[in-house]
């Protein structure tokens, strides 16, 4: 399994060449942020638009010049969360209880306990072998469906099906969006 692109590499690439930095940011965070946004949106809107808006703002406002590598992931996930909340607020009223749930998930995501990370790792390890490999490659290593399919010698549709089953099982065990943030932090 190849190591995911580090946040340090992304920020260093932005300092050298904005296009290269943008490509690395996209390669590392697009799919995780998209899956994260989808947990909030529940297919009520376009998570793609929200993630693209976050990337656009990150580059246009030159956030990469001010941000520390240790806070990049937190910044991106919080920005997506706020984008989702704004989109949901525009579409339908979000009840106070639902907003509290998301705020609690965000708070937990920002202060992971080692126990939570360990529980998530165990849950991933408990997935069937092919499903576990697909989740690791697509979610953690940010590989494309095609790359994962070639590596595991299965079809792209099989990768999609296994990923869907794996994420469904993980969502069942960890219903709050914090799961996805923890997965992308290398759990």
């Amino acid at each position: 399994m190849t190591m995911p692109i580090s946040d340090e590499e992304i920020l260093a690439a932005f300092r050298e060449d904005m296009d290269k930095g943008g490509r690395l940011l996209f390669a590392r965070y697009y799919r995780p942020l998209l899956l994260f946004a989808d947990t909030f949106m529940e297919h009520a809107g376009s998570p793609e638009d929200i993630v693209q808006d976050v990337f656009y703002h990150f580059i246009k406002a030159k956030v990469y010049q001010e941000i520390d590598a240790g806070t990049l992931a937190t910044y991106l996930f919080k920005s997506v969360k706020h984008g989702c909340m704004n989109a949901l607020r525009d579409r339908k009223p979000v009840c106070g209880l639902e907003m509290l749930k998301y705020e609690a998930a965000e708070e937990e995501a920002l202060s992971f306990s080692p126990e939570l990370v360990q529980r998530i790792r165990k849950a991933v390890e408990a997935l069937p072998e092919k499903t576990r490999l697909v989740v690791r490659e697509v979610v953690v290593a940010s590989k494309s469906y095609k790359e994962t399919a070639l590596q595991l010698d299965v079809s792209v549709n099989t990768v999609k099906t296994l990923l869907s089953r794996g994420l469904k099982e993980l969502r069942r065990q960890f219903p709050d969006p914090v799961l996805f943030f923890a997965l992308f932090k290398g759990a």
Side-chain angles (χ1 to χ4, degrees), residues 74-146:
T74 301
Y75 171 84
L76 293 170
F77 279 90
K78 281 185 85 167
S79 296
V80 167
K81 178 238 177 196
H82 288 293
C84 291
M85 295 285 84
N86 290 338
L88 288 171
R89 208 172 287 123
D90 291 345
R91 286 186 177 83
K92 64 173 183 151
V94 178
C95 74
L97 187 59
E98 189 175 349
M99 186 59 85
L100 285 174
K101 172 186 159 192
Y102 290 129
E103 287 172 1
E106 176 187 359
E107 204 171 293
E108 187 175 349
L110 296 176
S111 60
F112 292 122
S113 68
E115 295 81 21
L116 174 63
V117 172
Q118 189 59 32
R119 283 182 36 225
I120 292 169
R121 284 183 178 149
K122 283 184 180 179
V124 170
E125 288 302 314
L127 293 172
E129 182 182 5
K130 285 266 190 190
T131 304
R132 179 179 63 245
L133 293 172
V134 166
V135 168
R136 281 185 181 163
E137 295 303 309
V138 173
V139 176
V140 179
S142 299
K143 289 188 178 176
S144 70
Y145 295 148
K146 187 176 180 181

Side-chain angles (χ1 to χ4, degrees), residues 39-72:
T39 65
F40 285 100
M41 300 302 289
E42 298 175 2
H43 309 291
S46 176
E48 293 91 354
D49 290 345
I50 290 167
V51 173
Q52 289 171 6
D53 286 347
V54 167
F55 284 172
Y56 176 78
H57 174 76
F58 182 84
I59 293 168
K60 185 173 184 345
K62 298 183 179 181
V63 175
Y64 56 84
Q65 291 178 341
E66 306 294 325
I67 199 161
D68 179 68
T71 59
L72 177 61

Side-chain angles (χ1 to χ4, degrees), residues 1-5 28 136-138 140-144 147-148 151:
M1 182 164 111
T2 59
M3 294 299 293
I5 301 161
R28 171 66 181 106
R136 281 185 181 163
E137 295 303 309
V138 173
V140 179
S142 299
K143 289 188 178 176
S144 70
E147 288 174 308
T148 303
Q151 181 178 339

Side-chain angles (χ1 to χ4, degrees), residues 131 134-135 159-169 171:
T131 304
V134 166
V135 168
V159 168
K160 290 177 182 178
T161 300
L162 292 172
L163 180 64
S164 175
R165 287 180 188 163
L167 292 178
K168 185 176 182 179
E169 174 58 24
R171 281 187 187 117

